[in-house]
Amino acid sequence: MQNKKSYYITTPIYYPSDNLHIGHAYTTVAADCMARFKRMQGYDVFYLTGTDEHGQKIERAAREKGMEPSAYVDGIVVNIRELWKALLISNTDFIRTTEKRQEDVVQKIFTRVYEQGDIFLSQYEGWYCSPCETFFTERQLLEGKCPDCGRDVELLKEESYFFNMSKYAPRLLEHIDSHPDFIQPESRRNEVVNFIKSGLEDLCVSRTTFKWGIPVPFNSNHVVYVWFDALINYLTGVGYLQDEETFKKYWPADVHLMAKDIIRFHAIIWPIMLMALDLPLPKKVMAHGWIMLEGGKMSKSKGNVIDPRILVEKYGVDAVRYYLIKELSFGQDGTYSEEILVNRINADLANDLGNLVSRTIAMIIKYFGGVIPEARTSVALDDEIQAFAGQVYLEATAKLEKMDFSGYLHAAARLVSRANKYIDETAPWVLAKEESQTGRLATVMYNLMECIRIALILTAPTMPTLMERANQQLGLWDKIEEVKWDEAGIWGMAKAGTQVTKGESLFPRIDLKTLGEEEKKEPVALITEPQIEIEKTEVEDGYISIEDFARLDLRVAEVIACEKMKKADKLLILTVKMGDEERTVVSGIALHYTPEEMVGKKVVLLANLKPTKLRGVMSQGMILAASDEQFVDVLTVTKDIASGNRVK
Ligand code: MSP
């Protein structure tokens, strides 16, 4: 026990300015999946999440409700804890930045960095965006507004403490260079490197314009900048300066997980703070994409949120977690849709996995009196499925190790599909008719049990109640909590002689049409557009259905930069803006448009086309154009429709 290897994973600490939505749930469920995976691998896991409770944004949200900030956040934090309970989040600790342990550590760190000269007092004048808690220079503003959220900014002048970041920039660049895994995925790494190379300014790390924060210990006119405070939670959570033994065991963190919006804080400011403290850097900073709704990123301030608790009540925790983990491709954005959620439950969970279990149990009952038989005679097909399961195990493990969550679940789902196909290929009902085939029939049943056992282990980090529920029918394990991940890589662990019993369906099919109109709308109540009714229409030859078309995520995108691809006559590299998001798109239009002609155009982008590398540049989508033998005409939007809006 003493020598167990440790694993420390964190989520961002969320702002309790409002209740959380499925975007936050995504990060927390993904980190939970990782924590459970590592525990099953035998690691001693510390999984930290919590809330970031200081700052002007929270203070204002509280005042708007006529409340004191502390009473306001207390209420929201209760909801957040309940949400994590409903989603079966297995966090080791929950840290609130208003706790004394955090205040003590933040003040000690601030003092230390000040005393060593890396923090100093000066004057600050700049444009401040309160929702983003960030200062901008005039040059950084976009049309006079916040470049991140597009809202109004205010000119503030104040005496502030500054953190000398540029001093550490060369060391950070060197670290990034010598640790290729430090910032993931690679696109984010490049973004961070370019940002650092463009020159780091001193960071303003104190505020005097409001009071809701941790006081600077030696100057009570100032409170510590909320991000300086918040990032330190990752140290406080594992006992820095308070419980050295725990700290030694878990620091440096194995991974800080978050969405791409806050990668710069974690991959630039945070490592530099740690360098100033002479502490080792986290092993990995990993940024996933955003869950979008039609019209842009889901955000508390836009009010277009989906409440995950309602989804859990309607569809069950396993199904909601499965959907979240599978939906967001590695490093990419995904679009939330209740239709897709229901389709996933029906297709992957009810049809594939649930059916595999119930069919296998029914056959074992029918052909072997409910007792799992021993494998006897096998043919090549039986060996093949065994090898297939082995490959799936390796692939799922490798994908999860690199935090390609959806890739991992796709691998696991392939085993389930393969096992269903194996039933069709082996036709047990035919084997059962001939006594001479009993040995083969036994092998087929045993192999199906093995596929189920392996699939249940592989999906356990995602669906925490499934193994237990399935085991009530399968009787495969005595103690679920002792099942190890590696057992999925070993063929033949299902015990022959075990009794199976028929039970309730693991994932009942959901008929969207039977959900009442109100119920159907509930989780998406704040989206103004009506949901598309999903109805299976017959598709005639040559036609596609409206659902097929709806799978294309066509968006208005504004070209904000454009250049010719070197050594490629026909290719332009476009940087387009789609709502809050920027993308790089390679397009074969260079013979028809100059880069200057393209900048400023609002084009139509196929946004969910699988990204692909073209001449070494990752192209994230495709712009549409009409063409004949002579002309190529890029489709544009002529009215003033903001980028990010859907084209349909
Ligand atoms: N308080 C800071 C983080 C400080 S960490 C030291 C903060 N909080 S937040 O409440 O705004 O949460 C941001 C994080 O929530 C994102 O980085 C991501 O992990 C998660 N998400 C919020 N909205 C999301 C989506 N729409 N999609 C995916 N993740 C989302 O920033």
Side-chain angles (χ1 to χ4, degrees):
M1 279 307 258
Q2 283 280 303
N3 297 328
K4 256 185 165 184
K5 265 174 71 182
S6 68
Y7 184 83
Y8 178 27
I9 182 166
T10 69
T11 70
I13 47 171
Y14 304 108
Y15 292 127
S17 50
D18 206 340
N19 290 327
L20 303 187
H21 55 67
I22 56 162
H24 307 98
Y26 175 77
T27 314
T28 315
V29 165
D32 190 62
C33 175
M34 203 63 197
R36 287 173 183 271
F37 163 58
K38 286 287 158 188
R39 278 189 208 109
M40 287 178 81
Q41 282 189 323
Y43 284 80
D44 177 346
V45 172
F46 199 106
Y47 172 18
L48 184 68
T49 188
T51 40
D52 183 2
E53 305 189 3
H54 291 125
Q56 197 167 23
K57 183 157 85 172
I58 305 279
E59 193 180 72
R60 279 193 186 153
R63 302 274 181 240
E64 272 166 25
K65 295 252 170 13
M67 293 173 82
E68 281 303 312
S70 60
Y72 178 74
V73 293
D74 281 352
I76 306 264
V77 168
V78 169
N79 295 343
I80 294 177
R81 285 185 195 269
E82 271 171 17
L83 172 61
W84 298 156
K85 219 163 113 192
L87 281 164
L88 298 178
I89 302 302
S90 62
N91 52 308
T92 317
D93 200 350
F94 185 101
I95 185 163
R96 302 180 57 178
T97 51
T98 46
E99 287 171 74
K100 179 147 187 339
R101 55 173 170 165
Q102 170 78 355
E103 179 166 334
D104 287 349
V105 174
V106 168
Q107 290 191 326
K108 280 186 186 147
I109 288 179
F110 201 96
T111 306
R112 169 169 166 190
V113 183
Y114 174 75
E115 282 172 357
Q116 74 193 31
D118 288 334
I119 286 180
F120 57 92
L121 192 63
S122 184
Q123 272 285 330
Y124 190 85
E125 187 177 311
W127 296 94
Y128 189 63
C129 174
S130 157
C132 296
E133 308 271 13
T134 309
F135 271 103
F136 297 100
T137 60
E138 183 102 37
R139 200 163 48 91
Q140 288 171 318
L141 300 182
L142 271 184
E143 292 167 4
K145 309 260 187 210
C146 169
D148 287 346
C149 73
R151 274 175 282 222
D152 287 338
V153 287
E154 47 194 321
L155 186 63
L156 291 184
K157 189 170 178 179
E158 56 179 88
E159 179 194 76
S160 293
Y161 287 95
F162 286 85
F163 177 39
N164 181 356
M165 301 238 295
S166 50
K167 169 174 163 189
Y168 293 94
R171 234 175 98 188
L172 179 56
L173 279 174
E174 192 190 294
H175 183 87
I176 296 173
D177 193 47
S178 57
H179 297 79
D181 265 356
F182 177 52
I183 303 168
Q184 285 294 318
E186 210 181 304
S187 54
R188 298 290 148 217
R189 178 169 184 257
N190 298 340
E191 171 196 320
V192 166
V193 168
N194 290 340
F195 191 87
I196 302 172
K197 284 188 176 158
S198 73
L200 293 183
E201 290 178 16
D202 294 333
L203 179 72
C204 175
V205 287
S206 76
R207 300 286 186 266
T208 52
T209 47
F210 62 94
K211 284 270 156 250
W212 181 237
I214 297 180
V216 169
F218 43 86
N219 186 344
S220 58
N221 289 333
H222 292 249
V223 291
V224 174
Y225 171 46
V226 66
W227 269 101
F228 194 89
D229 164 3
L231 288 160
I232 289 171
N233 93 86
Y234 299 132
L235 294 177
T236 311
V238 286
Y240 181 59
L241 302 180
Q242 292 172 344
D243 173 355
E244 282 307 311
E245 202 183 316
T246 305
F247 185 67
K248 237 173 72 196
K249 185 148 137 210
Y250 295 108
W251 192 262
D254 289 84
V255 59
H256 294 312
L257 182 66
M258 73 213 68
K260 59 189 180 182
D261 51 338
I262 52 175
I263 186 78
R264 288 186 196 166
F265 294 94
H266 285 81
I268 301 175
I269 299 177
W270 179 227
I272 289 183
M273 285 168 69
L274 291 166
M275 283 175 178
L277 293 170
D278 248 333
L279 287 172
L281 304 194
K283 290 178 206 156
K284 192 186 284 195
V285 176
M286 169 82 199
H288 58 73
W290 281 333
I291 296 187
M292 319 277 278
L293 280 186
E294 289 192 316
K297 185 191 163 207
M298 198 178 309
S299 86
K300 285 176 287 198
S301 41
K302 281 191 192 160
N304 58 352
V305 295
I306 308 286
D307 183 345
R309 252 172 315 181
I310 298 175
L311 296 182
V312 170
E313 273 164 34
K314 275 169 83 171
Y315 302 116
V317 61
D318 285 340
V320 171
R321 288 176 57 122
Y322 181 88
Y323 164 74
L324 287 173
I325 297 277
K326 191 150 179 218
E327 217 42 47
L328 220 56
S329 295
F330 192 56
Q332 302 293 310
D333 294 339
T335 310
Y336 169 80
S337 142
E338 193 166 4
E339 283 169 42
I340 300 178
L341 166 60
V342 169
N343 288 342
R344 279 263 181 269
I345 297 175
N346 285 343
D348 292 18
L349 300 180
N351 281 2
D352 278 4
L353 183 54
N355 259 349
L356 175 65
V357 173
S358 60
R359 281 168 96 189
T360 305
I361 289 179
M363 289 189 289
I364 292 179
I365 291 176
K366 189 161 173 198
Y367 305 134
F368 293 95
V371 177
I372 301 176
E374 213 158 319
R376 290 185 233 158
T377 50
S378 51
V379 301
L381 182 63
D382 307 318
D383 299 338
E384 190 207 301
I385 193 152
Q386 178 174 342
F388 189 86
Q391 280 160 19
V392 163
Y393 162 77
L394 291 177
E395 189 183 334
T397 310
K399 293 255 157 89
L400 207 41
E401 288 290 2
K402 65 178 251 235
M403 304 188 89
D404 175 356
F405 296 103
S406 78
Y408 130 75
L409 265 194
H410 273 96
R414 271 203 299 282
L415 176 61
V416 176
S417 306
R418 182 69 194 86
N420 276 315
K421 193 164 157 228
Y422 176 71
I423 299 183
D424 298 336
E425 289 165 342
T426 53
W429 47 92
V430 176
L431 297 176
K433 285 192 186 133
E434 286 184 45
E435 213 164 302
S436 62
Q437 295 291 342
T438 310
R440 178 82 208 294
L441 182 63
T443 303
V444 171
M445 292 302 117
Y446 186 83
N447 289 353
L448 287 171
M449 278 309 285
E450 272 302 87
C451 290
I452 291 171
R453 182 186 64 83
I454 292 167
L456 289 173
I457 296 177
L458 296 183
T459 52
T462 303
M463 297 191 278
T465 78
L466 178 62
M467 224 181 191
E468 176 75 51
R469 291 189 293 126
N471 200 41
Q472 285 168 10
Q473 302 174 30
L474 299 167
L476 281 168
W477 298 284
D478 296 334
K479 288 204 176 117
I480 295 285
E481 58 289 356
E482 285 176 9
V483 176
K484 292 275 163 274
W485 179 263
D486 289 355
E487 292 173 23
I490 303 168
W491 186 265
M493 287 192 74
K495 271 188 271 148
T498 306
Q499 181 79 39
V500 299
T501 43
K502 199 167 154 33
E504 271 178 28
S505 146
L506 295 172
F507 296 102
R509 269 189 75 82
I510 294 159
D511 185 354
L512 247 202
K513 283 197 220 135
T514 64
L515 298 176
E517 275 310 304
E518 278 319 298
E519 220 183 335
K520 216 190 298 178
K521 286 205 182 112
E522 210 169 0
V524 285
L526 296 166
I527 313 176
T528 45
E529 295 210 23
Q531 289 277 290
I532 303 166
E533 252 288 288
I534 35 171
E535 206 174 275
K536 279 267 160 281
T537 45
E538 283 300 313
V539 178
E540 288 172 37
D541 273 354
Y543 289 100
I544 62 165
S545 67
I546 190 73
E547 293 87 43
D548 291 332
F549 178 71
R551 293 182 62 209
L552 303 181
D553 190 9
L554 294 169
R555 301 280 178 153
V556 176
E558 186 177 350
V559 182
I560 54 173
C562 183
E563 59 178 311
K564 280 197 144 173
M565 167 96 76
K566 288 191 188 93
K567 295 191 192 147
D569 293 341
K570 293 187 184 153
L571 299 180
L572 290 184
I573 308 174
L574 312 167
T575 306
V576 300
K577 199 165 165 295
M578 211 178 75
D580 293 341
E581 198 194 347
E582 268 183 36
R583 293 208 184 177
T584 304
V585 176
V586 178
S587 180
I589 53 172
L591 299 178
H592 304 272
Y593 290 91
T594 62
E596 294 70 29
E597 274 179 284
M598 288 306 296
V599 174
K601 276 198 186 351
K602 282 193 177 153
V603 298
V604 177
L605 178 77
L606 177 57
N608 61 346
L609 184 69
K610 196 170 176 193
T612 180
K613 254 193 188 165
L614 293 168
R615 303 277 175 108
V617 178
M618 188 54 93
S619 180
Q620 304 161 299
M622 178 176 87
I623 64 168
L624 303 190
S627 64
D628 63 13
E629 271 143 31
Q630 206 180 349
F631 298 111
V632 168
D633 195 3
V634 168
L635 297 193
T636 53
V637 175
T638 49
K639 293 206 172 137
D640 193 18
I641 295 178
S643 76
N645 277 300
R646 264 198 106 148
V647 178
K648 52 194 173 184

